[in-house]
Structure formats: C-alpha cells, structure tokens
Amino acid sequence: MEAETLAIAQEIDFSMWALFARATLIVKLVMLMLIIASFWAWSIIIQKIIIYRKARAEAEVFDRRFWSGEPLDELFEEIGPDPDGQSERVFAAGMMEWRRSHRNDGGLIAGATARIDRSMDVAIAKEAENLQSGLSVLATVGSTAPFVGLFGTVWGIMNAFIEIAEQQNTNLAVVAPGIAEALLATGLGLLAAIPAVIFYNKLSADSDRIVASYEAFADEFATILSRQLDS
C-alpha cells in the first residue's frame, strides 16, 4: 500500500506552474498579488538605482564646474533658471533669489541671506521628495508581503484539510499537493518582501547621502554669497 502511495505521489507534478494551477481561487489571487508586488518593487528598485547614479554623476560634474573659478553669474547664465540637474536646480534657486534681492540702484534688499537660504532649502526639499518617491512602496511590500503570503498558506492548508476530511484519506498523495500549493504562497511572499526590505534600507541611505550633499553645497554657496554681502 505504501509503495502504491509513493508511486502515485511521484506522478504528481510539483512544478511552480502546476502548483499554481491546482491552487484554489483565493490562493491564486494571493499569488498573483505577490507576483505583481514583486515586479512593482523591482521596477522601483531598478529605476531608483539609475536615478541615484545619475544624480551622483551630475553632482560631481557640477561641483567641478562650481569650484573651477568661473564667475557665478556666468555659470548661472550657462545653466539657466530651470536646469535639468538636481545640483544645478539648487544653485539656480539661490542665484535667482540673489538677483531678485538687488534693488534698481544696485543695493541689496534687507534679509537677502535668509531668503536665499530659504529658496535653496525649498529646492532641496523638492529634490529630496523626488528622490524618495516610491520608496514607501518598497516599505509597504516589505512589511505586508510575508503576511499576505501567510494568509494564502493558511487558506491553502485549510482547504487541504477539508479535502482530506472529504476523502477520508490521509496518505501522501492526498496531503502533499495541497500543502505544497499552500507553502508556495509563503515562498512568494518572502520572495517579494526580502528584496524590498534590503533595497529600501539601501536606497533610503543613498537618498539621505545625496540630499546631505545638496545641503552641504547650499551651505557653502550661502557662505560665498554672505562674503560678497559683507565685502
């Protein structure tokens, strides 16, 4: 009898697609949700890696231009009031406020330094928001996917036990497929959650470092302008 049961079990298809096809509707929906969440998370991960790499490269190029000794007014005329680069936009925000702070007679309106600082702070806040957009999705996937997968597992095991009760049979050929289908949901949940958590932490740290570099540049730029105000 055991040899016959083992022979039947060996004939069962335990491939990923077969397990998905045999699962109940609820478990299938759970698996599809997890697969979609995984693809969504990976699309954000890849997009952010590319964006952060470009942001760091742009910051390095602009930093070299800024400290090359080129007059700030000429540099601003070259990049314009609405440049493409993130560091350039922070610089442009400060320069536009600097120019607006001059009166017609060439003097400066009172409070120019504070307004320039606020303008660059607003520009940095916008860049930080753009850099961090989408990271909340990774946090959500990382925190919820294991529980969604666990729900699918519990539901699948419940149906497996119902099937055992209906057939009045607890041999391996009856138990194994239902348990395997249920556990697949947990596996998919972990498959979606683990990369999301790892890259959420990495990308958050990368974003913080990039924003910190913008803040450091804004402080240096404000110091340069304050020297001109005092001279």
Side-chain angles (χ1 to χ4, degrees):
M1 185 65 177
E2 291 183 2
E4 182 181 351
T5 301
L6 289 172
I8 295 172
Q10 289 175 353
E11 294 177 359
I12 298 174
D13 187 358
F14 285 99
S15 65
M16 299 284 284
W17 172 250
L19 292 175
F20 174 81
R22 286 197 301 265
T24 61
L25 178 61
I26 297 296
V27 178
K28 284 180 179 177
L29 290 176
V30 168
M31 291 180 183
L32 286 174
M33 286 175 57
L34 292 171
I35 291 171
I36 292 172
S38 181
F39 276 107
W40 191 8
W42 275 108
S43 67
I44 292 173
I45 290 168
I46 294 171
Q47 179 190 44
K48 289 302 176 184
I49 289 174
I50 294 171
I51 289 174
Y52 290 0
R53 186 174 296 171
K54 288 182 178 179
R56 285 190 290 266
E58 183 272 335
E60 290 177 3
V61 171
F62 176 74
D63 195 57
R64 285 195 295 269
R65 291 183 64 189
F66 182 80
W67 295 107
S68 65
E70 182 179 359
L72 298 181
D73 287 322
E74 292 182 11
L75 179 59
F76 179 62
E77 291 296 334
E78 290 177 11
I79 67 174
D82 188 23
D84 295 328
Q86 293 91 334
S87 298
E88 293 175 346
R89 284 196 287 267
V90 176
F91 169 74
M95 283 300 297
M96 284 190 293
E97 187 58 41
W98 164 260
R99 289 188 170 185
R100 283 196 290 261
S101 296
H102 284 79
R103 296 193 299 267
N104 293 332
D105 59 2
L108 280 171
I109 303 173
T113 302
R115 288 194 301 275
I116 292 169
D117 287 339
R118 283 197 296 270
S119 297
M120 289 192 291
D121 287 341
V122 170
I124 291 171
K126 290 179 180 178
E127 298 307 326
E129 184 178 358
N130 292 333
L131 288 171
Q132 295 169 359
S133 64
L135 295 185
S136 59
V137 175
L138 298 183
T140 302
V141 172
S143 60
T144 61
F147 297 102
V148 175
L150 183 60
F151 169 76
T153 297
V154 171
W155 190 274
I157 290 176
M158 180 184 69
N159 282 280
F161 279 116
I162 292 173
E163 187 176 353
I164 290 170
E166 290 176 350
Q167 295 187 19
Q168 297 294 316
N169 190 346
T170 59
N171 65 43
L172 186 63
V174 174
V175 176
I179 300 298
E181 295 155 16
L183 292 176
L184 178 60
T186 296
L188 290 174
L190 295 174
L191 186 66
I194 292 173
V197 171
I198 292 173
F199 280 99
Y200 171 77
N201 293 329
K202 180 189 183 304
L203 294 173
S204 294
D206 290 346
S207 174
D208 290 342
R209 281 192 290 269
I210 293 171
V211 173
S213 70
Y214 296 156
E215 292 172 346
F217 165 75
D219 291 339
E220 293 170 344
F221 183 36
T223 301
I224 293 172
L225 294 181
S226 67
R227 289 198 195 103
Q228 295 189 21
L229 290 173
D230 295 337
S231 60

